[in-house]
Amino acid sequence: MIDAKVFLAPLAGVSDTAFRILACEMGADLTFTEMVSAKGLFYKNENTSYLTYIDKREKNVALQIFGSDENIIKEVIQTNFNKRNDIYALDLNLGCPAPKIVKNHEGSYLMKEPKKVKKIVSTMVENSKVPVSVKIRLGFDEKNKNFLEVADFIVEAGAYMITLHARTKEMFYSGHADWNAIKTLKRHVPIKVVGNGDVASVEDYIKMVEQTGVDAVAIGRASLGNPFIFKQIKDYKETKTYRYPTIEEVIEIIKKHYQLEMQFKTEKIAIREMRKNILWYLKGFKESNKVKNIINSLVDMEEIFKILDEYKNNYKGGL
Ligand SMILES: Cc1cc2nc3c(=O)[nH]c(=O)nc-3n(C[C@H](O)[C@H](O)[C@H](O)COP(=O)(O)O)c2cc1C
């Protein structure tokens, strides 16, 4: 019996409140917010604060922060996070490879400084009223795969869970995630381990769980335009079967996704978000390229829905 949980990985520009609600309704056991700058929160940047919004329809949301100044992180926890009751866990990002983040010695840069990691995580654990988790990579580069050493410090600091995206910083998103490293980490630490990297289907989820023994699997890119993957995994766990969504179901979710975006963002931004998402939702559907091109030239959601409905009504079936 496979009982490992399934999580929505943190995805900047994607795992916003609207998408997390969908993932949660589809069966994700826990979702992560987009990464949020601790400094941005400290300096009360409005755009940053709004990334931390959690809706009542959500459950088990881990709020992911990035930063390297433990004093700033402590202040943000005490004056902001601890006043809230909607955060399930606080997650620290040690994986982001983006140059502007690494340049500031944040995100994946911190994999180079295990002792600093211990200091930051200890500060988080000592001050946060909710459990603390950390998301790491294998190491900074091929020559420095120090995830076990970093994990030891994270455990000593008192975190309750580690997610391993099994690539180095240098790999960004290329090559293959090293699932053996995930297995090694699971055997090495006494806390919960979440496996992450290259799980694109129910079969991959099963394989990762069987191969590594992880407590949970976090799904990133395979969820883009595809929150159904959480339902497929949930269905598989309950019934040993699952199915793919029909075009009708996909269009229905697109509309729901838009309605949710509208509840949290301006119409202009919601439409921009949805254009990007619709391209992902229609990926693999027959002749969807034509629709995608039309949609890209439209600015009115009613018109976009009309084109989608026409596509749906003329759809001849099959992927
Ligand atoms: C568009 C995008 C945004 C991401 N944003 C974040 C982020 O904010 N925080 C983080 O820890 N990882 C982020 N990641 C990394 C993912 O959480 C995940 O570790 C990675 O995509 C590997 O998992 P996958 O193969 O299931 O996609 C992002 C990845 C993508 C593709």
Side-chain angles (χ1 to χ4, degrees), residues 167-180:
R167 285 186 171 81
T168 62
K169 175 264 170 193
E170 231 175 39
M171 290 169 79
F172 279 73
Y173 298 96
S174 69
H176 296 288
D178 177 2
W179 290 5
N180 280 330

Side-chain angles (χ1 to χ4, degrees), residues 9-12 14 34-35 64 93 135 165 167 173 196-199 218-221:
L11 294 166
V14 180
E34 306 172 67
M35 63 181 201
Q64 188 189 63
N93 177 321
K135 180 157 177 277
H165 175 196
R167 285 186 171 81
Y173 298 96
N196 173 240
D198 300 346
V199 172
I219 298 184
R221 288 164 297 177

Side-chain angles (χ1 to χ4, degrees), residues 94 111 134-138 147 150 154 162-165:
L94 300 186
M111 290 298 295
V134 185
K135 180 157 177 277
I136 65 175
R137 283 192 177 233
L138 293 178
F147 63 101
V150 173
I154 289 170
I162 301 181
T163 302
L164 174 58
H165 175 196

Side-chain angles (χ1 to χ4, degrees), residues 231-243:
K231 177 157 170 44
Q232 289 178 325
I233 290 173
K234 194 171 160 228
D235 285 350
Y236 180 83
K237 278 160 71 175
E238 285 167 8
T239 66
K240 287 267 186 269
T241 60
Y242 70 92
R243 65 175 182 81

